[in-house]
């Protein structure tokens, strides 16, 4: 499909704002909807970019539009489709930027949804695939036709069990599964018994490569472009005589199905972004919060649990964090959730989360597991995320339950704090706010620069690690506090005379201005030592 084909469709009612014949003849490889100011790293060459222009305001100068279009040009985007709904028209500065960078720009009227455009592109692409010469395929012509119709009719979500069964009916519908990277069953044929996720995950880890022979089972990745957490696998548990080319075709069918699912989820992120913005606003819960919860399919009353996840600040970390969290939450039956990528670079308060964050609000249906059980289930599942092939290990923070919408802001703060604590633990894990039950654990959630500043100011001159006598005094202070202020046990542990311990502690008190006979001053210095 080419850019000019979109202009010919009266149902879309698009208007060309700028672009010559060579640009309109560019082939479309896919669609990305975004309202990021710099979406370049999320784009693939040949994609058309749909933007509602939420990132633009009338007060912005042309440089902002230029940066946005430059990112599209550098990523090899085929065209920009700009929505008119936000501003009533497409800003002239954006049109000028497209002219400078050689990107065709089309306006999308208010009555045309982005979903209509994405469905048009991908259904056209699937139709093009279905018209390939028959000798390209191993699936019978009638089966391919039926699968094509199911995908086309399933714009609202084709049933994956039906897709898999129909694809294998002509060979007896042998036991077969489509599994997620953590072993969650996405589809299975009627002869395939229920498969617990833990067992399925072990099978995937032990799977014989597809090309190997002989193989007791066959496992084939569905979408090679998916993240490790978002990957699906076609899995035949027995040695079934199914032509490899046919399995590749079935995998392609599910790749199409998965892309449709991702497009629908992308279209639903607008309400989630608004919900997260409202939750992140300090103070009393905004009046718009109940409506925002409803728009995301969540109940207006709790309890709610907030989870924040990071997969690191490297490129693609934000997408990986969101994929990891979504995959984990899909294991929770009887619960609804809204998930979005974190727009806050320091989501955890101090950079522990980097830029690769994702936030989710979870609410249970009637009779669902308690919030405590949800946390326990997520902790049990977390090792399965670590096992995803090639994945950056995620770490996460979980809030205490919020009984009402007004408590969601506090729950988000708690989850970010727990995320920082998880990041400081040195290994990818899931930390709940309820796990922070010691002074050391509590301090681990404090941002690193705040910890450092507190340690320097509380210890005073002793914070100078280049002074040998100060290092000696710190060692004595650490032992003194560890032995509950006992002079004799401290002297024994350090192999010193008790009088020497007395002298050193007096020096510590003089240099820090603290009285170690007071409990609060002891706690201050203990915290300062932990913050070093």
């Amino acid at each position: 499909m080419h850019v000019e084909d979109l202009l010919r469709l009266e149902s879309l009612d698009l208007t060309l704002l700028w672009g010559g014949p060579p640009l309109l003849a560019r082939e479309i490889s896919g669609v990305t909807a975004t309202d990021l100011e710099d979406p370049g790293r999320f784009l693939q060459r040949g994609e058309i970019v749909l933007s509602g222009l939420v990132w633009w305001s009338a007060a912005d100068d042309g440089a902002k539009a230029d940066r946005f279009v430059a990112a599209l040009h550098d990523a090899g985007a085929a065209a920009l489709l700009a929505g008119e709904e936000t501003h009533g028209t497409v800003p002239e500065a954006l049109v000028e930027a497209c002219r400078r960078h050689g990107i065709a720009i089309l306006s999308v009227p208010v009555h045309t949804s982005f979903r209509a455009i994405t469905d048009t592109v991908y259904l056209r692409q699937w139709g093009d695939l279905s018209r390939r010469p028959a000798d390209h395929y191993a699936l019978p012509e009638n089966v391919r036709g039926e699968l094509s119709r199911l995908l086309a009719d399933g714009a609202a979500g084709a049933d994956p069990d039906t897709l898999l069964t129909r694809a294998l009916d002509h060979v007896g519908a042998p036991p077969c599964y489509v599994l997620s990277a953590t072993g969650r069953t996405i589809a299975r044929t009627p002869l395939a018994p229920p498969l617990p996720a833990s067992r399925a995950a072990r099978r995937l880890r032990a799977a014989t490569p597809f090309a190997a022979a002989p193989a007791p089972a066959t496992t084939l990745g569905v979408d090679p472009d998916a993240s490790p957490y978002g990957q699906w696998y076609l899995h035949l548990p027995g040695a079934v005589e199914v032509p490899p080319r046919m399995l590749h075709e079935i995998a392609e069918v599910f790749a199409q199905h998965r892309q449709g699912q991702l497009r629908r989820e992308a279209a639903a992120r607008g309400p989630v972004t608004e919900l997260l913005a409202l939750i992140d606003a300090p103070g009393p819960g905004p009046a718009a919060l109940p409506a925002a919860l409803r728009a995301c399919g969540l109940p207006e009353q709790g309890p709610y649990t907030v989870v924040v996840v990071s997969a690191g600040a490297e490129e693609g970390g934000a997408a990986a964090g969101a994929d990891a969290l979504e995959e984990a939450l899909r294991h929770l039956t009887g619960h609804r959730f809204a998930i979005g990528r974190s727009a806050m670079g320091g989501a955890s308060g101090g950079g522990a989360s980097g830029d690769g964050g994702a936030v989710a609000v979870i609410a249970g249906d009637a009779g669902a597991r308690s919030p405590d059980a949800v946390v326990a289930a997520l902790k049990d599942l977390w090792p399965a995320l670590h096992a995803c092939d090639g994945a950056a290990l995620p770490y996460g923070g979980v809030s205490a339950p919020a009984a009402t919408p007004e408590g969601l802001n506090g729950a988000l703060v708690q989850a970010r704090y727990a995320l920082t604590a998880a990041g400081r633990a040195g290994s990818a894990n899931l930390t709940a706010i309820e796990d922070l039950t010691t002074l050391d654990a509590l301090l681990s959630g404090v941002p690193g620069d705040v910890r450092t500043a507190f340690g320097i100011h509380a210890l005073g001159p002793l914070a100078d690690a280049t002074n040998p006598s100060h290092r000696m005094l710190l060692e004595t202070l650490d032992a003194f506090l560890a032995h509950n202020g006992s002079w004799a046990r401290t002297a024994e542990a350090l192999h010193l005379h008790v009088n020497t311990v007395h002298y050193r502690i007096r020096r510590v008190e003089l240099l820090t201005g603290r009285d170690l006979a007071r409990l609060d001053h002891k706690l201050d210095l203990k915290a300062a030592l932990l913050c070093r």
Side-chain angles (χ1 to χ4, degrees):
M1 188 175 192
H2 302 86
V3 176
E4 59 190 356
D5 295 330
L6 294 174
L7 287 168
R8 297 192 183 104
L9 296 174
E10 294 183 3
S11 60
L12 297 182
D13 195 21
L14 305 179
T15 301
L16 176 64
L17 299 180
W18 184 84
L23 295 177
L24 298 180
R26 294 193 65 178
E27 186 171 358
I28 300 171
S29 65
V31 184
T32 288
T34 181
D35 266 308
L36 296 175
E37 291 185 28
D38 182 5
R41 61 177 177 161
F42 300 107
L43 304 180
Q44 300 294 325
R45 181 166 295 276
E47 287 185 325
I48 59 171
V49 178
L50 306 179
S51 178
L53 307 185
V54 175
W55 54 271
W56 170 269
S57 71
D60 291 329
D61 56 19
K64 190 171 186 179
D66 195 79
R67 288 193 296 271
F68 179 83
V69 178
L72 270 56
H73 175 271
D74 294 344
L80 170 62
L81 276 65
E84 298 178 349
E85 182 172 5
T86 303
H87 304 288
T89 185
V90 177
E92 185 60 31
L94 189 61
V95 179
E96 288 299 319
C98 288
R99 183 179 287 110
R100 284 193 299 273
H101 291 281
I103 295 287
I105 179 169
L106 290 67
S107 66
V108 182
V110 175
H111 56 266
T112 299
S113 69
F114 282 0
R115 176 175 170 179
I117 297 172
T118 55
D119 284 347
T120 296
V121 171
Y122 284 106
L123 291 177
R124 170 72 174 270
Q125 286 183 334
W126 177 253
D128 290 343
L129 288 172
S130 298
R131 287 190 289 273
R132 289 177 183 172
D135 58 5
H136 178 83
Y137 295 96
L139 282 172
E141 181 71 26
N142 65 315
V143 176
R144 282 191 291 111
E146 183 177 13
L147 294 177
S148 179
R149 286 191 298 275
L150 284 171
L151 286 173
D153 295 339
D159 174 42
D161 284 340
T162 301
L163 277 175
L164 186 61
T165 301
R166 298 290 174 81
L168 290 167
D169 259 346
H170 65 290
V171 290
C176 184
Y177 302 86
V178 176
L179 303 171
S180 74
T182 59
R184 180 172 53 88
T185 298
I186 296 161
R188 61 186 175 98
T189 55
L191 293 179
L195 187 60
S198 57
R199 188 185 308 167
R202 288 195 297 271
R203 288 189 183 182
L204 291 176
R205 289 195 296 270
T208 304
F210 179 70
T218 298
T219 302
L220 178 64
V222 165
D223 187 354
D225 295 328
S227 75
Y229 301 117
Q231 182 59 267
W232 288 3
Y233 296 91
L234 186 67
H235 177 72
L236 281 82
V240 181
E241 294 296 327
V242 179
R245 191 167 58 174
M246 182 183 298
L247 294 179
H248 278 287
E249 283 188 65
I250 297 172
E252 186 176 2
V253 168
F254 274 90
Q256 292 282 341
H257 170 72
R258 183 177 181 277
Q259 288 302 319
Q261 183 184 79
L262 292 177
R263 290 194 301 275
R264 291 187 294 275
E265 291 169 357
R269 287 195 187 113
V272 177
T273 301
E274 180 181 354
L275 173 64
L276 295 183
L278 291 172
I279 292 173
D280 199 34
L289 197 48
L293 288 165
R294 287 197 305 273
C296 295
L298 296 174
E300 294 184 31
Q301 289 299 320
Y304 308 99
T305 303
V306 177
V307 184
V308 181
V309 162
S310 173
E314 68 279 357
E315 184 174 356
D323 286 349
L325 182 53
E326 181 168 0
E327 176 58 28
L329 295 181
R330 288 193 181 279
H331 285 263
L332 300 179
T333 57
H335 288 79
R336 288 176 279 172
F337 62 86
I339 181 171
R341 295 181 188 177
S342 171
M344 298 74 68
S348 62
S353 68
D355 294 322
V359 181
V361 179
I362 311 169
D365 294 326
R369 288 180 287 190
S370 68
D372 290 342
V374 168
V375 175
L378 288 174
K379 286 185 175 182
D380 287 343
L381 178 67
W382 219 247
L385 291 175
H386 297 183
C388 293
D389 185 30
L393 301 183
Y395 51 95
V398 187
S399 74
T404 65
E406 290 74 20
L408 282 170
N409 175 259
L412 178 58
V413 172
Q414 291 177 7
R416 290 176 180 168
Y417 196 93
L419 175 65
T420 304
R424 291 190 61 85
S427 60
N429 61 41
L430 186 69
T431 298
I433 198 70
E434 64 188 24
D435 296 331
L436 306 182
T437 56
T438 66
L439 178 62
D440 193 10
L442 180 67
L443 291 172
S444 68
V446 176
D449 52 354
V450 177
R451 289 169 57 95
T452 300
F454 175 77
I456 290 173
H457 289 91
L459 292 173
L462 293 182
D464 180 10
T466 62
N467 188 316
S469 66
H470 290 175
R471 289 200 303 271
M472 176 186 65
L473 292 176
L474 283 177
E475 179 186 7
T476 304
L477 172 62
D478 196 12
F480 182 72
L481 295 175
H483 290 87
N484 301 315
S486 169
W487 305 100
R489 290 202 299 273
T490 302
E492 182 180 358
L494 296 177
H495 306 289
L496 297 173
H497 192 279
V498 172
N499 289 343
T500 303
V501 175
H502 276 277
Y503 169 77
R504 290 184 180 180
I505 293 301
R506 283 196 297 271
R507 289 284 298 160
V508 168
E509 292 176 325
L510 178 65
L511 292 171
T512 62
R514 310 280 173 159
D515 180 1
L516 285 172
R518 292 177 52 177
L519 176 60
D520 56 340
H521 285 195
K522 287 179 181 177
L523 287 174
D524 290 342
L525 291 180
K526 179 63 176 179
L529 291 173
L530 292 171
C531 286
R532 284 186 302 161

